[in-house]
Amino acid sequence: MNDSMAARPAPLVTVTMTVNGRSVTRSVEPRTHLIDFLRNELDLTGSHLGCEHGVCGACTVRVDGDIVRGCLVLAVQLEGARVETIEGISASGEITDLQEAFVRRNALQCGYCTPGMLMCAAEFLRTRPSADREAIRDFISGNYCRCTGYHAIVDAIAETVEARRSAKGRGGHR
Amino acid sequence: MNSFKGVVGTSVARPQARRFVFGRGRYTDDLRIAGTLHAVFLRSPYAHARIEAIDLDAARTVPGVVAAFDGKAIASVCAAWTAQFATLPDHRSAAQPPLAVERALWQGQPVAIVVADTRAIGEDALGLIEVQWHELEPLPHPVATAVADPAHPPLHAALGTNIAYERCIVAGDPDTTLAGADRVIKRRFQFTRHTGVPLETRTVLAEFEPGLRRLTVYQSTQVPHQMRAIYAELLGLSEANVRVIVPDVGGAFGVKLHLYDDEIAVAAASMLLGRPVKFVSDRLEAFVSDIHARGHTVDASVAVKNDGTVLGFEVDDIMEMGAYSVYPRTSVGEGLHAISLTGAPYAAPALRARLRAVFQNKAPVGSYRGVGQPIACGITEHLIDAAAAELGIDPAEMRRRNFRRAGIDPPKTAGGIAAGDLSHQRCLERLLQLMDYDGLCAERASARKAGRHLGIGIAAFVEMTAPGTGLYGAAGVKIACSDGCTLRLEPSGVVTCVTGATDQGQGSDTGMVQLIGDALGLDFDQVRLVAGDTAVTPVGGGTWASRGLVVGGEAALGAAHALRDRLIDIAAALLDVRRDALVLSASAVRERDGAKSLSLAELGGMMHYRQDLLPSEVERSPVVTFHVVPTGLIANGIQASLIELDPESGFVKPLRHWVVEDCGRVINPMLADEQLRGGVVQGLGEALLEECRYDERSQLQNATLADYLVPMASDMPDIVIDHVHTEVTGTLLGAKGIGEAGTIGAAAAFVNALNDALRAFGCAISEIPCTPERVLRALRRVP
Ligand code: FES
Ligand code: FES
């Protein structure tokens, strides 16, 4: 890299996206990734950074309905996109049962991986719900947890799958 | 009416967990303090190099850069430090500066700090710093450093040697005892360096207030009071003018237990600038700047008789320490544990052990979960299995014959550890039942017929918990072994607990609330807890050595008993009944067999607003404080691992894992079990995946999370847990620590299971992590 380039600020780019149902417009440096954008521009600190190189999953958020690694997406790529974070899916009530199961089963210790883990688990529940422990372990393998050893997380997800299934069987609303 | 049911001993969920699941954790980087600047560091690209010149001028011209400092500038407000213990007078240790001056001693050592409006601007400016480096030779492999010392100039010239510490233990007349052995089984072990990888990287925000010369440090740390004392001393401030506040901590495991050069440089920069300054380590710099652990090359042997009796152990441990002994706990604790705890579960009387800790041009080694205890366990349990195999004795039977017997064997182990009432025999029997040992052995045999290679491994361990003042106090180091707890009866009848203990999610907070609630007859949600602020809480040790709930909980219980007695005194006078007729239950002081009662809300109201109504002859303050000084408790347990080996690829899959642990009384079974499970997985990571890979220039080759592997969910097995309860006497709580137990025994059980499978191929492995490459090398399928 040429030294004189190193410190020349790039022009800001204006981007508009919907975050947790609210339209937001900000002017940001093109290099700003989605998590810095959420945390620093919008004060949505529930999304975390564990590596900033796409490995740990602490930054998992939803973009246009699919989970992505927020640290690998630039904010300026998201013009017109629909972004949902842990704050958003908590408020909507979509995963209240899963959150309760995490608490009940102590599927978190320090809690740093938890928002990303819940986003990932929500995707599992939505797209391929199964109480099979191996299937759960495989699906959440891109989300690192350094505290729990995963067993309790698998328990909490499996329990939620079962509970939703039996609620459905009884004609419950899920 | 007495409907109160206690919750101690039950699996209540952690109330704090409710914040985290909604994304409402508040970690240090989540704080917003007006005027905050962002610090970034230039780090040495070389493991060993002279710094001929540093030019910061170009960096300073970048718009948005507020300041840039080199080591000399930071040294003007921050003294260097030397890790030393009065109790280890022959530990050679060198002064470490906050930023390297003249010479960098490891790749990643900070050399300059840039402070800017944003982190990105600061990082841009780093690219403009000109350093003239003169690369020097790094020290060679630790074994070569230890034995060929004169050939390599000492890293710290004033010390005259690269051996930072040497210690020998000789017990039980090894010469005579070992001469009586039928066999001596020897192995060379390699425990590769690894690191802690808390998911939240180290983070600090320092705010210096120049008018009052007061420093507030918000920090992701396990030890607020330790850090307060250090900041005050090294930054030349009065301790009363330093406040350390600990927001939520995203994992620590020992990583956040030490003084870091970059963190105190941030505080120094805040003092120089009079502005709040924040530093968030990124993952790449975490790998080269967090403490590392392990890094031991060990020659060890066990001496046995043909009947299976273990006579003794010999250990020679060369431990690589890194460039400095880490402050303030030193780096040698790991080696001391490794040699003194070898053989600890066994009655064998003889031990000859030697430790040499040597300097290396690598990141400093510090206390990571287990601190040397996994090394001792790995050596011991490998040798016991190797001996059992040579003698044709079943590994479980081999242990049964040799475990210490409480009340029969001397109260101290050969390594000098007071271990009066270890329960390994009972733990073993419970484990064999829990895992259906015989059934598994049969399964292993039929799998082998079908061409599958299963292995079963067992590992017994001890865990040193809640040490007393002899460890740091007597060493002249300002780290409290004690904890204090203040309880306040609020006017509403709720009780506030202010504790010196800290919690990074383990659940010691919840345990304390359970204890206080039960002692005061309060429901669980009628107790509030405040922690992690040196301006508010009693001085405490914080979290290390599996002490949080043991010491903090004991203090909480002591305080609760004192408050209970006071409330009974007051109520007895007001109700005009005898003290011993009263109990606390269902949020009130009540007559045991009568109708009279006073609620805690009534008492709280009077104690705050209507003191005129209270009897004058009793103590009326609504606040009590209780301090506890522990004396050290040794816990124990046993683990087992079932693995499957694929001899073609060298991959090893842990299939199941079992733990039977004895920590005395269990306050919250679910949280205790989760401590064990999390610890087991960290131990399995150590056994299977984790290593800091250095090249011959001491360059770390895998300093990204893509290259340094930690356990993923799909790598890991389910973990079955049970407890054996030996009564703990001499404390109110009756409990020992549990936080490191999982990590201490897991790797040893795994490696024993792998070696069980490898035995069919006539080979063994004694090097961790057991990567496919190492396994294939053991199988002689690759060179
Ligand atoms: S922070 Fe995005 S994957 Fe780790
Ligand atoms: S709970 Fe700490 S990383 Fe998962």
Side-chain angles (χ1 to χ4, degrees), chain B residues 83-137:
Chain B
Q84 255 161 350
F85 278 14
T87 44
L88 300 174
D90 42 4
H91 173 28
R92 300 175 198 90
S93 183
Q96 181 178 357
L99 299 180
V101 182
E102 287 168 13
R103 206 160 54 111
L105 298 191
W106 83 89
Q107 173 215 10
Q109 185 176 9
V111 172
I113 176 173
V114 173
V115 183
D117 288 338
T118 69
R119 183 189 175 115
I121 292 171
E123 286 178 354
D124 290 344
L126 288 183
L128 300 180
I129 297 176
E130 295 276 359
V131 183
Q132 283 175 36
W133 297 101
H134 177 92
E135 194 184 356
L136 301 167
E137 276 308 299

Side-chain angles (χ1 to χ4, degrees), chain B residues 160-491:
Chain B
T161 170
N162 283 315
I163 298 184
Y165 184 61
E166 180 159 6
R167 170 76 167 267
C168 293
I169 300 173
V170 179
D173 190 3
D175 288 331
T176 321
T177 315
L178 303 181
D182 294 317
R183 286 162 200 255
V184 174
I185 292 122
K186 284 191 172 49
R187 291 282 185 275
R188 155 133 330 173
F189 296 90
Q190 183 71 53
F191 299 88
T192 307
R193 244 180 195 247
H194 60 89
T195 184
V197 198
L199 205 54
E200 180 212 25
T201 50
R202 291 185 295 107
T203 307
V204 62
L205 195 171
E207 183 176 22
F208 184 66
E209 205 295 301
L212 295 169
R213 286 192 63 73
R214 285 198 185 161
L215 175 71
T216 303
V217 182
Y218 303 85
Q219 186 174 0
S220 181
T221 179
Q222 302 165 242
V223 282
H225 284 100
Q226 172 197 306
M227 296 317 298
R228 176 178 73 171
I230 291 173
Y231 291 140
E233 188 168 329
L234 297 177
L235 296 168
L237 299 168
S238 96
E239 198 169 290
N241 280 355
V242 179
R243 177 179 186 184
V244 177
I245 297 176
V246 188
D248 290 326
V249 174
F253 319 118
V255 168
K256 297 170 181 174
L257 191 58
H258 311 280
L259 171 64
Y260 285 93
D261 39 19
D262 47 19
E263 294 177 0
I264 199 165
V266 166
S270 175
M271 288 177 67
L272 288 165
L273 298 171
R275 296 270 303 268
V277 181
K278 176 161 81 173
F279 166 62
V280 185
S281 162
D282 74 22
R283 183 57 65 191
L284 304 183
E285 56 190 340
F287 277 112
V288 295
S289 64
D290 287 2
I291 56 113
H292 292 179
R294 322 301 189 231
H296 296 247
T297 306
V298 185
D299 288 307
S301 60
V302 63
V304 291
K305 292 170 74 120
N306 280 339
D307 67 1
T309 308
V310 179
L311 299 174
F313 295 86
E314 288 194 278
V315 201
D316 189 354
D317 178 8
I318 295 174
M319 169 196 166
E320 53 172 286
M321 257 189 27
Y324 293 98
S325 190
V326 81
Y327 194 79
R329 292 164 195 259
T330 83
S331 298
V332 303
E334 174 140 301
L336 286 171
H337 266 165
I339 62 165
S340 63
L341 291 168
T342 292
Y346 298 98
L351 176 68
R352 190 201 315 272
R354 172 160 76 149
L355 166 69
R356 281 166 292 171
V358 298
F359 289 112
Q360 293 283 279
N361 289 106
K362 295 179 184 170
V365 160
S367 311
Y368 167 66
R369 204 171 194 176
V371 200
Q373 299 173 98
I375 311 280
C377 178
I379 297 167
T380 308
E381 293 299 277
H382 181 117
L383 291 173
I384 292 286
D385 265 18
E390 273 206 25
L391 297 170
I393 299 174
D394 176 82
E397 176 57 25
M398 183 78 181
R399 287 172 172 79
R400 195 179 280 129
R401 286 188 201 170
N402 285 288
F403 278 143
R404 297 172 56 81
R405 294 145 303 170
I408 298 172
D409 290 307
K412 279 198 172 172
T413 68
I417 310 295
D421 53 357
L422 300 182
S423 60
H424 281 119
Q425 298 283 6
R426 283 163 63 211
C427 289
L428 173 66
E429 300 314 325
R430 181 69 197 111
L431 176 79
L432 298 178
Q433 260 175 8
L434 190 67
M435 66 193 284
D436 180 17
Y437 185 69
D438 295 337
L440 270 187
C441 290
E443 189 182 326
R444 175 183 56 187
S446 56
R448 203 147 293 173
K449 284 198 193 104
R452 289 177 62 203
H453 298 273
L454 301 187
I456 302 169
I458 295 177
F461 64 91
V462 297
E463 180 188 15
M464 311 290 285
T465 80
T469 188
L471 180 56
Y472 295 123
V477 176
K478 288 183 187 168
I479 300 171
C481 72
S482 53
D483 271 317
C485 175
T486 296
L487 291 184
R488 217 161 58 210
L489 179 65
E490 303 290 350

Side-chain angles (χ1 to χ4, degrees), chain A residues 39 50 108 110 133 137 141, chain B residues 14 27 30 283 711 714 718:
Chain A
R39 294 177 54 85
L108 61 145
C110 80
R133 298 181 74 82
R137 283 184 180 275
S141 270
Chain B
R14 288 161 50 222
Y27 304 90
D30 300 338
R283 183 57 65 191
S714 55
D718 280 343

Side-chain angles (χ1 to χ4, degrees), chain B residues 466-535:
Chain B
T469 188
L471 180 56
Y472 295 123
V477 176
K478 288 183 187 168
I479 300 171
C481 72
S482 53
D483 271 317
C485 175
T486 296
L487 291 184
R488 217 161 58 210
L489 179 65
E490 303 290 350
S492 61
V494 163
V495 168
T496 302
C497 162
V498 188
T499 176
T502 61
D503 185 338
Q504 297 83 44
Q506 296 89 332
S508 53
D509 278 6
T510 303
M512 281 184 255
V513 168
Q514 289 175 263
L515 291 161
I516 294 163
D518 275 19
L520 293 173
L522 280 170
D523 281 337
F524 185 65
D525 62 356
Q526 298 295 296
V527 182
R528 295 284 182 278
L529 192 129
V530 177
D533 181 348
T534 60

Side-chain angles (χ1 to χ4, degrees), chain B residues 10-21:
Chain B
T10 70
S11 293
V12 283
R14 288 161 50 222
Q16 293 299 323
R18 293 197 171 276
R19 292 191 297 114
F20 298 116
V21 293

